[in-house]
Amino acid sequence: MHKQLHSMKKTFFQSIVYACLLLPTLSKIHAEEKIVNKEMRRPNVLLVIADDWGWGHAGVYVDRGVRTPNFDRIAREGALFNRAYSAAPTCTASRASLLTGQMFYRLEEAAHLHGPLDKKFAVYPDLLESAGYAIGCKDKGLGPLPPGVTGGREHNPAGPAVEDLGALIEQTPQDKPFCFWQGSNFPHRPYTAAWLAKAFSPDKVTIPSFLPDVPEVRQDVALYYAAVQAFDHEFGKQLQLLEKSGRLDDTIIVVTSDNGMPFPRA
């Protein structure tokens, strides 16, 4: 089973990289055969990753109490995965697997919550950068990492820090593709913002069967719901930037989470 999961994850990210690298060659063949009138662009890659977003908490999944219109749009217009699994139940290990296409137990220190990913392990942003892509990362990439812990890399494995997707698009020439990692801090704890509490009534939420249905838990789940919606709103801004720049139709968008909801036994 471990070998199968490793093969599935590795094949998925190899497919993204191969698609990005091979499209120029395919486009030239098509152009020579007069199948297309202009050369195809290599696709941009936008990966949006939530922090502690549990499966099922989205409009297109089983819990329809959560409003996630932007994620739902991607599900309708793209592919919705119902049997895709996180490699590990902790942030760093899961994200390291996502970046490398390898299972976390192969990645040495990165299998630990606060461990760095050694530079000897190839990551897809670096592979695409070497192929001519502009790369960038916003907010949480691989991590959490203690200050100064880099694994010998010049920047986070997810990419160098940039202001936001808009800044990367603005500084990247139109004929050059980009690879951007948007690492949201939602719906990770703590839930302290006052506006979060106003988004849901505790008596309207669905309590998972593995949690006790008591007022304190209902309030906590309501805050989690609100944070999930905050993530979706944040993601919607990325879609707006892509649409405004005219880059939406030639961008591969992957939306996922590093692990499950931040509750006991989740």
Side-chain angles (χ1 to χ4, degrees), residues 10-11 21 25 36 64 82-83 91 94 109 129 141 145 149 155 177 183 195 201 219 263:
K10 189 171 184 179
T11 300
L21 300 183
T25 301
V36 293
R64 302 190 183 280
N82 290 299
R83 291 192 173 96
C91 298
S94 173
E109 289 180 274
E129 183 182 36
L145 295 177
V149 177
H155 52 69
W195 65 267
S201 172
Q219 175 66 21
F263 289 79

Side-chain angles (χ1 to χ4, degrees), residues 25-83:
T25 301
L26 295 175
S27 66
K28 291 178 181 178
I29 294 174
H30 290 170
E32 291 174 0
E33 296 177 353
K34 298 181 180 180
I35 296 178
V36 293
N37 294 324
K38 63 180 180 179
E39 185 172 325
M40 294 173 62
R41 295 168 55 95
R42 287 190 291 176
N44 309 303
V45 178
L46 169 62
L47 185 133
V48 181
I49 181 167
D51 201 351
D52 296 0
W53 181 23
W55 180 88
H57 301 128
V60 296
Y61 283 127
V62 295
D63 193 339
R64 302 190 183 280
V66 182
R67 296 181 293 276
T68 53
N70 297 296
F71 178 74
D72 296 354
R73 173 186 174 184
I74 295 300
R76 289 193 308 270
E77 299 179 7
L80 180 65
F81 293 89
N82 290 299
R83 291 192 173 96

Side-chain angles (χ1 to χ4, degrees), residues 12 39 48 69 74 78 82 93 119 124 135 150 170 173 177 191 224 238 240 244 249 260:
F12 174 68
E39 185 172 325
V48 181
I74 295 300
N82 290 299
K119 65 179 181 180
Y124 77 85
I135 65 172
T150 63
E170 185 175 340
Y191 304 137
Y224 163 74
Q238 314 305 310
Q240 292 174 6
K244 184 178 180 180
D249 290 340

Side-chain angles (χ1 to χ4, degrees), residues 98-211:
L98 195 63
L99 285 160
T100 62
Q102 301 193 50
M103 291 301 288
F104 69 92
Y105 51 74
R106 297 169 56 94
L107 302 177
E108 300 177 357
E109 289 180 274
H112 184 269
L113 180 61
H114 298 284
L117 180 64
D118 193 277
K119 65 179 181 180
K120 69 183 178 183
F121 296 107
V123 293
Y124 77 85
D126 287 350
L127 295 177
L128 293 182
E129 183 182 36
S130 66
Y133 274 65
I135 65 172
C137 172
K138 169 68 174 175
D139 295 329
K140 188 175 181 178
L142 177 74
L145 295 177
V149 177
T150 63
R153 300 173 183 270
E154 295 182 359
H155 52 69
N156 193 285
V162 298
E163 183 180 352
D164 56 24
L165 175 59
L168 182 65
I169 292 175
E170 185 175 340
Q171 67 191 34
T172 303
Q174 282 286 332
D175 59 348
K176 183 175 183 177
F178 62 81
C179 172
F180 186 73
W181 173 294
Q182 173 67 44
S184 177
N185 292 311
F186 292 116
H188 198 286
R189 295 179 182 275
Y191 304 137
T192 56
W195 65 267
L196 290 177
K198 300 177 181 178
F200 279 95
S201 172
D203 62 350
K204 300 294 184 182
V205 301
T206 300
I207 303 300
S209 59
F210 52 82
L211 294 176

Side-chain angles (χ1 to χ4, degrees), residues 239-253:
L239 292 180
Q240 292 174 6
L241 286 170
L242 288 175
E243 290 179 322
K244 184 178 180 180
S245 66
R247 302 290 189 96
L248 180 62
D249 290 340
D250 57 1
T251 300
I252 296 173
I253 303 173

